[in-house]
Amino acid sequence: MPYGVNMDADEFYRRLQQNEELKKIVGSSLKTHCQSLKEDTKNASDFSSAQQV
């Protein structure tokens, strides 16, 4: 059953809001994760430790 079918407007809107919140949370934690990954790679001076990261 497609998303939003047989759902009243309130329910649809509430789900939409939840999705947006989730996207924000996931997005920001991904950004943080990528940031620390970059740092780790930068700090790994030689190639083998960079590969381990």
Side-chain angles (χ1 to χ4, degrees):
M1 185 162 111
Y3 181 74
V5 172
N6 296 331
M7 216 186 273
D8 65 1
D10 289 338
E11 172 72 3
F12 182 74
Y13 187 70
R14 197 171 56 74
R15 293 255 183 108
L16 209 59
Q17 288 295 98
Q18 281 177 336
N19 275 355
E20 289 306 306
E21 290 303 307
L22 201 60
K23 271 194 275 188
K24 278 182 206 157
I25 295 166
V26 171
S28 65
S29 76
L30 265 179
K31 211 175 282 177
T32 308
H33 184 68
C34 288
Q35 227 24 65
S36 63
L37 206 58
K38 266 188 210 158
E39 290 302 309
D40 289 347
T41 311
K42 206 184 298 172
N43 294 339
S45 47
D46 61 308
F47 187 67
S48 61
S49 54
Q51 271 183 323
Q52 282 169 358
V53 170

